[in-house]
Amino acid sequence: MAERKLLQRDSDDEGSLLSRLGTDSPKPRVKFGGMFCNVEGAYENKTLNFESYNSSPQSVRRHVKVKNEEKCWSDTFSDTGSVSNFSSVSETRPSGDRAIGTEIGSSRGQIVYQTGPGHNREHNGKRETDRLIIKGGKIVNDDQSFYADVYVEDGTIKQIGENLLVPGGVKTVDAYGHIVIPGGIDVNTSLQTSQLGMSPSDDFYHGTKAALAGGTTMIIDHVVPEPGASLLGAYDQWKDIADRGSCCDYSLHMDITRWHDGLFEEMESLVKNKGVNSFLIFMAYKDKFQSSDSQMYEMFGIIRDLGAIAQVHAENGDIIDEEQKRLLELGITGPEGHVLCHPEEVETEAVYRAITIAKQANCPLYITKVMSKSAADVIAKARKKGMVVYGEPITASLGTDGSHYWSKNWAKAAAFVMSPPLSPDPSTPDYLNSLLSCGDLQVTASGHSTFSTAQKAVGKDNFTLIPEGTNGIEERLAIVWEKAVATGKMDENEFVAVTSTNAAKLFNLYPRKGRIAVGSDADIVIWNPKETKTISAATHALTVEINIFEGMEVRGAPVVVISQGKIVLEGGKLNVSEGSGRFVPRKAYPDFIYKRIKARSKMADARGVPRGNYDGPVHDVISMTKSVPATPSSRGPQCPGKGPLGPTRNLHQSGFTLSGTQIDDHIPRRSAQRIVAPPGGRSNITSLS
Amino acid sequence: MSGQGYQGKKNIPRITSDRLLIKGAKIVNDDQSFCADIYMEDGQIKQIGENLIVPGGVKIIDAHGRMVMPGGIDVHTRFQMPDRGMTSVDDFYQGTRAALAGGTTMIIDHVVPEPGASLLSAFEQWREWADSKSCCDYSLHVDITEWHKGVQEEMEALVKDHGVNSFLVYLAYKDVFQLTDSQVYEVFSVIRDLGAIAQVHAENGDIVAEEQRRILEQGITGPEGHVLSRPEEVEAEAVNRSVTVANQTNCPLYITKVMSKSAADVIAQARKKGTVVYGEPITASLGTDGSHYWSKNWAKAAAFITSPPLSPDPTTPDYLSSLLSCGDLQVTGSAHCTFSTAQRAVGKDDFTLIPEGTNGAEERMSLIWDKCVVTGKMDENQFVAVTSTNAAKIFNLYPRKGRIAVGSDADLVLWDPDVIKIISAKSHNSNVEYNIFEGVEVRGAPLVVISQGKMVLEEGNLHTTEGCGRFVGRKPFSDYVYKRIRARSRLAELRGVPRGLYDGPVCEVSLTPKTMTPASSAKTSPAKQAAAGAQPVRNLHQSGFSLSGAQVDDNLPRRNTQRIVAPPGGRANITNLG
């Protein structure tokens, strides 16, 4: 081995130089069996080079043509080495996330045990046979496409290339004529959030099963604690349910529904120890979940300091509340009332406000559920001004519109009820698809939260009681393909970006998820762009009885879905195992987002003007009404930790200076100081005369 | 003759000179300019034309072809404004005197009731102050500093009986004046039903409060903290929000003090989308910028404190005057509210305590002429529109004010477009010792100012009379604003979908947390909480007017047309699937 390594070293040095010279610039797309198929290392630049993360010299992984079986095996071993290196990379990455780091740092098998000791043992046996080779497909990542085979073992991708040497007894998956894409990541599902005491009809098992059927191999679900309840408690509850039910890997967002004492400590603990790096704040649902602007500002400051991502449900809850009252008074009780009292401007206004507050707090912002043209426009404009803001259209807003709220069929109209509502403007889906294609919107999700017709019928006489949510977890990839790729708005690479890669980058799952590369998780979808399917409640994998896309014909469908290295969909048959999904922790400070935030917080320091003391006359003030809170009345609850202005702890700055190593040790402290030259010059007159 | 004082006020014996003839004038209205003579009597314009036949003994002013325009209307002043026991140094006498010296012949001042105090008594208080001191005609806006049921009734009384047709709502000054979005929604609905105009002080008070705390914690206590804690986006956000609420309530909206480019852009865009919204840049935002907040001279820096603050972007004045010229902004005010340096020094160690407000009542006309007309951005007619006519139209003073026409009030300005003046605290008429436009050279100034038919400025001398200003009542449903609002409210009727009853299975719900108000939630307005208690509540949006005989909005047709929406799903009446 050592000799070989040395040899490789030498050849690597000049090889890298020479091969870069010769082959780097515009790399021809290699067709399988074409004349370039034998060029050595042709695939290397196309896969992520994990070694570059790593300073340790061991196991430089190269695809040398190895002739005999033995060397092939040694090569495979060095692959395993490189995988564990990849994990240890994440460990050595500067962050205080020790606990998670070691979890990943240990070998793959162990992490499976960690998530749920009860039900993974039996899979372990299965996993040994889980060696797959995907042959003949075109691999599509977000940056480029190329022809190569993929070898999968132990739930990770071990080799990519042509003429791979693999052990015997490997199952071959034929992908000729299809594209091989990273499995979709659905960043917004609510599979466990109950409304009015009713649980969604698709729980973690059914939901993730449907996700896999549609080509989505990872979901990020929203934890919605009851207002006032502990975040950690809700998190544990969610994780417990998901561990038992989920069929694919999952992660969790945390929703902030109410301010209470200890909230900050809980958030800190979630980020540091629990692998949560995103928090959602509601601007709607007045008197239930809604946060005031002050609370949002403070929350954004905390989220930024923790290195997490702020998500908002953007709707002006005050206006909605008033409009709901007005509509009910007018006697409108059907589902059309829902869209009438959630007009588009109300969404747009909230997006605008959230962006303003995030800008002030220098916090990255993620708008969930972009449902209308004008809201998308606000996001696009803010991005042009340089804001770190991301927008998430969902399956429903990309695939259908809000005209169905006026359906004579109550059950159908009610099935579309969700917040923000689908826009009645029929040109909305097209517009959102265009913005998604040009990069103004970045991520797609489903917002999946389904309730049966009987559950929705709770609001049959009052639309405000209809539980909100639509399906979309299964249809997402197909609808984006149909609406955006089949129409020529985006290409297959952008398709991968918006369905998987961007989400992985934003939420710090990259490159473990969202890319087909050596060392990444084997969450792979073999996609047939030509297959045509009609969406219907009769055939979907969900339990809900109405599908909002009923009758829609879509091109593009998954042929084979591989999750955690196992084939879960093949030949139209789903083969999922309840509880096999692992919790995927996410670290704070995703590079994709925080590089800019860090640079900005260095610049953003405001400086006072050094002046002499004012020594002129001072008017006597009799009553200082301003400092007295004039009406302790009804101006929104004071947030905790804010009441007395005395010597309280500064929540924005000091959350991290109490113990030794800090989560943000790698961020340089704000030390640069910009001196503002005062426009008025340097005179120091303090009074006029 | 004509000695009958208005509203029981005695006029002063220069009455004999109250017949005026302006000869050879170029009359400038907002729509056209033409040459004619003007004859005035009894404070009114009686004749316009050439070779007028006038009685003898008339005082003749020869205009020599100079422009005569309607006197300026300053829609936003805060004279004699109380702030924490202090009173701004320019009271109604000093303030209106300064206004007249600059060519403004009418002001509309803001009544600011202390939270908890009655609107009506505050209004009476302001009337008393102004009646005894004002030198020119005036009117009053009323600010809504808190919201409850009683306020609504008082607003009704103010509109019907007291000639108020505009109310200002604060989105800033958290815990003092600020209203929540729900409250703003309710206030706007009431305002629309009353036929008044909603004004908004647009800044996000929540963000401002947080930023103030942060900046004080950083140890920044000087006036620059004021502008750092109120960044431009905070203003633009609040403008956007109030436009949204106004759209929902179908209420005409008027944004006071447009200070930044982005706020002006939001207004311009909303207008392009059809919202009935008006924007008011002020003298300070048109004439100077916020770089002075960083002045080493504390007194100077503090003199610029106003909210929203002047934008530190030096291109702002230019941009705002361009938007004013192209019609995206419509009205100019001064927001004149001055405090002496000693009063400002209350906040010498904490910028949040510095009383807010700048001067500008006197400089407004000259500055706009200099920035807009001299530079060729607008012509003299547009100048008249933005300084006077538009304001008169929006606030229903037109054509009594804002136009030179037979029957209009004799509030005129003879304008000299060529005179060059340097603005300075030494020569201005305000009481304050610091002028924020100190040293600015402006071209264009009034030569003669005629207010209520009397010459008050002549050859550089002011002849004002304390207390001769009349209160000018303003009626609701200003045509200029409400013609569109009416048409829209007819269209805005919402219709439900007639469906058969849903007869499928219904899930049992044990608890309904949505209808149960969480105990600690203090977000609802008092009016709403009261309403929540009693179920058969009166509909606040609709029924404010059906109790007595003649109504303030009798001229408004009732909503009776009904638009039938054809349901996209066809006419089937299936209520469950399968």
Side-chain angles (χ1 to χ4, degrees), chain A residues 196-198 258 285-288 290-295 297-298 316 318-319 322-323 325-327 329-330 332 334-336 340 343 345-346 348-349 352-353 356-357 359-361 381 403 405-411 413 453-455 457-458 460 464-465 468 545-546 605-611 614 617-626 629-631 633-638 642 645 650 652 670 676 678-688, chain B residues 84-86 114-115 145-146 174-183 185-186 204 206-207 210-211 213-214 217-218 220 222-224 228 231 233-234 236-237 240-241 244-245 247-248 266 269 291 293-299 301 341-343 345-346 348 352-353 356 433-434 493-499 502 505-509 511-514 517-518 520-526 528 539 541-542 565 567-577:
Chain A
L196 302 169
M198 296 178 292
R258 176 75 59 85
Y285 304 111
K286 194 178 171 189
D287 295 338
K288 204 174 161 208
Q290 187 174 333
S291 295
S292 71
D293 290 0
S294 302
Q295 291 171 336
Y297 180 98
E298 250 192 74
N316 187 318
D318 282 6
I319 299 184
E322 298 284 340
E323 293 275 329
K325 270 176 222 150
R326 187 168 72 92
L327 281 165
E329 273 162 10
L330 285 172
I332 298 176
E336 69 276 11
L340 291 173
E345 291 92 343
V346 166
T348 315
E349 188 280 316
Y352 195 106
R353 182 149 44 99
T356 307
I357 298 174
K359 164 95 192 292
Q360 286 314 309
K381 261 188 221 147
S403 54
Y405 290 116
W406 280 269
S407 168
K408 286 274 187 178
N409 179 341
W410 189 92
T453 303
Q455 287 174 323
V458 165
K460 71 187 167 63
T464 63
L465 298 177
E468 295 172 353
E545 59 274 63
I546 297 182
D605 236 352
R607 309 296 304 166
V609 175
R611 288 191 186 87
Y614 174 84
V618 179
H619 197 275
D620 275 333
V621 179
I622 307 118
S623 63
M624 303 284 287
T625 41
K626 234 185 186 175
T631 41
S633 60
S634 55
R635 290 270 155 67
Q638 283 275 312
K642 220 193 204 180
L645 265 177
N650 174 359
H652 295 308
R670 294 181 187 170
V676 182
R682 309 214 160 267
S683 69
N684 203 8
I685 313 161
T686 53
S687 60
L688 292 169
Chain B
R84 283 170 286 150
M86 300 180 283
E114 283 288 304
T145 50
E146 65 175 344
K174 196 180 174 192
D175 296 335
V176 183
F177 297 151
Q178 188 175 331
L179 300 187
T180 66
D181 290 359
S182 300
Q183 293 169 331
Y185 183 101
E186 283 172 44
N204 187 317
D206 282 4
I207 302 185
E210 297 284 342
E211 291 279 330
R213 197 174 297 135
R214 185 174 71 88
E217 271 165 10
Q218 286 185 7
I220 299 176
E224 67 277 11
L228 290 173
E233 289 89 348
V234 166
E237 188 281 315
N240 185 54
R241 183 150 40 102
T244 307
V245 178
N247 253 346
Q248 286 312 309
V266 172
Q269 257 161 25
S291 55
Y293 290 117
W294 280 268
S295 169
K296 285 273 187 181
N297 179 341
W298 190 92
T341 303
Q343 288 173 327
V346 164
K348 70 188 168 63
T352 62
L353 300 177
E356 296 170 354
E433 62 269 63
Y434 207 97
E493 192 76 5
L494 299 170
R495 310 296 303 163
V497 175
R499 287 190 187 87
Y502 173 84
V506 179
C507 201
E508 286 291 321
V509 176
L511 71 169
T512 50
K514 238 183 185 174
T517 356
S520 72
S521 122
K523 273 180 191 157
T524 42
S525 64
K528 283 287 157 179
N539 174 358
H541 298 307
Q542 307 280 36
V565 181
R571 307 215 161 266
N573 204 7
I574 313 159
T575 54
N576 56 1
L577 287 171

Side-chain angles (χ1 to χ4, degrees), chain B residues 345-400:
Chain B
V346 164
K348 70 188 168 63
D349 300 319
D350 178 352
F351 65 87
T352 62
L353 300 177
I354 301 174
E356 296 170 354
T358 53
N359 63 299
E362 183 173 357
E363 299 81 4
R364 189 175 63 104
M365 304 276 279
S366 292
L367 259 172
I368 294 169
W369 186 271
D370 186 67
K371 294 270 177 188
C372 297
V373 186
V374 173
T375 58
K377 285 185 181 178
M378 57 170 73
D379 58 26
E380 63 213 28
N381 304 98
Q382 279 174 292
F383 175 77
V384 168
V386 301
T387 54
S388 173
T389 312
N390 288 351
K393 285 179 177 169
I394 291 173
F395 293 107
N396 223 1
L397 298 161
Y398 191 80
R400 179 175 168 192

Side-chain angles (χ1 to χ4, degrees), chain B residues 33-298:
Chain B
S33 312
F34 57 97
C35 290
D37 300 344
I38 307 168
Y39 174 64
M40 287 163 275
E41 196 181 316
D42 295 342
Q44 276 197 339
I45 297 171
K46 295 286 182 188
Q47 296 179 56
I48 294 175
E50 300 190 22
N51 309 318
L52 300 176
I53 299 164
V54 295
V58 167
K59 172 152 186 175
I60 296 175
I61 303 165
D62 203 328
H64 296 295
R66 286 207 189 85
M67 286 179 274
V68 174
M69 46 181 74
I73 300 175
D74 190 339
V75 282
H76 188 164
T77 64
R78 289 167 185 275
F79 297 141
Q80 221 163 320
M81 157 101 166
D83 184 1
R84 283 170 286 150
M86 300 180 283
T87 307
S88 64
V89 289
D90 286 318
D91 60 9
F92 275 98
Y93 173 64
Q94 287 293 341
T96 51
R97 212 174 119 86
L100 285 169
T104 297
T105 54
M106 173 165 185
I107 58 145
I108 312 185
D109 204 77
H110 277 272
V111 176
V112 189
E114 283 288 304
S118 134
L119 296 191
L120 280 170
S121 62
F123 175 80
E124 293 301 339
Q125 175 68 63
W126 253 260
R127 277 292 308 269
E128 197 182 298
W129 287 337
D131 278 342
S132 61
K133 290 192 167 167
S134 177
C135 311
C136 67
D137 288 354
Y138 73 96
S139 190
L140 294 172
H141 305 294
V142 175
D143 297 359
I144 308 291
T145 50
E146 65 175 344
W147 181 239
H148 52 73
K149 192 75 189 301
V151 172
Q152 185 189 340
E153 278 152 15
E154 287 192 312
M155 285 167 72
E156 227 172 293
L158 282 170
V159 170
K160 285 185 191 167
D161 311 325
H162 292 91
V164 172
N165 72 1
S166 48
F167 297 93
L168 182 131
V169 166
Y170 291 91
L171 298 179
Y173 305 110
K174 196 180 174 192
D175 296 335
V176 183
F177 297 151
Q178 188 175 331
L179 300 187
T180 66
D181 290 359
S182 300
Q183 293 169 331
V184 171
Y185 183 101
E186 283 172 44
V187 174
F188 280 11
S189 305
V190 170
I191 287 176
R192 178 207 55 217
D193 289 342
L194 290 171
I197 293 141
Q199 301 186 303
V200 164
H201 176 113
E203 280 184 295
N204 187 317
D206 282 4
I207 302 185
V208 169
E210 297 284 342
E211 291 279 330
Q212 282 181 340
R213 197 174 297 135
R214 185 174 71 88
I215 283 167
L216 284 176
E217 271 165 10
Q218 286 185 7
I220 299 176
T221 57
E224 67 277 11
H226 180 75
V227 65
L228 290 173
S229 65
R230 294 167 178 268
E232 190 168 325
E233 289 89 348
V234 166
E235 185 190 350
E237 188 281 315
V239 171
N240 185 54
R241 183 150 40 102
S242 48
V243 166
T244 307
V245 178
N247 253 346
Q248 286 312 309
T249 50
N250 192 24
C251 176
L253 182 67
Y254 178 99
I255 310 283
T256 61
K257 297 201 211 170
V258 175
M259 305 300 281
S260 67
K261 288 158 79 167
S262 44
D265 278 340
V266 172
I267 296 172
Q269 257 161 25
R271 288 178 63 83
K272 282 186 188 53
K273 286 189 197 144
T275 311
V276 182
V277 57
Y278 306 96
E280 165 206 282
I282 63 168
T283 321
S285 61
L286 291 167
T288 183
D289 61 61
S291 55
H292 304 280
Y293 290 117
W294 280 268
S295 169
K296 285 273 187 181
N297 179 341
W298 190 92

Side-chain angles (χ1 to χ4, degrees), chain A residues 53-70:
Chain A
Y53 287 111
N54 194 354
S55 53
S56 78
Q58 59 146 308
S59 78
V60 179
R61 199 188 163 283
R62 311 193 70 228
H63 291 277
V64 193
K65 278 196 172 182
V66 190
K67 289 281 187 275
N68 64 46
E69 189 80 14
E70 191 195 337

Side-chain angles (χ1 to χ4, degrees), chain A residues 125-169:
Chain A
K126 247 189 228 167
R127 186 151 289 146
E128 274 169 17
T129 64
D130 258 338
R131 293 177 183 161
L132 296 172
I133 181 157
I134 302 166
K135 273 191 175 291
K138 178 162 79 161
I139 296 178
V140 178
N141 275 325
D142 68 321
D143 51 350
Q144 60 176 0
S145 314
F146 56 95
Y147 286 91
D149 298 343
V150 182
Y151 174 64
V152 171
E153 193 182 316
D154 287 344
T156 41
I157 296 170
K158 297 286 181 182
Q159 297 180 57
I160 295 175
E162 303 189 21
N163 308 321
L164 297 178
L165 288 168
V166 294

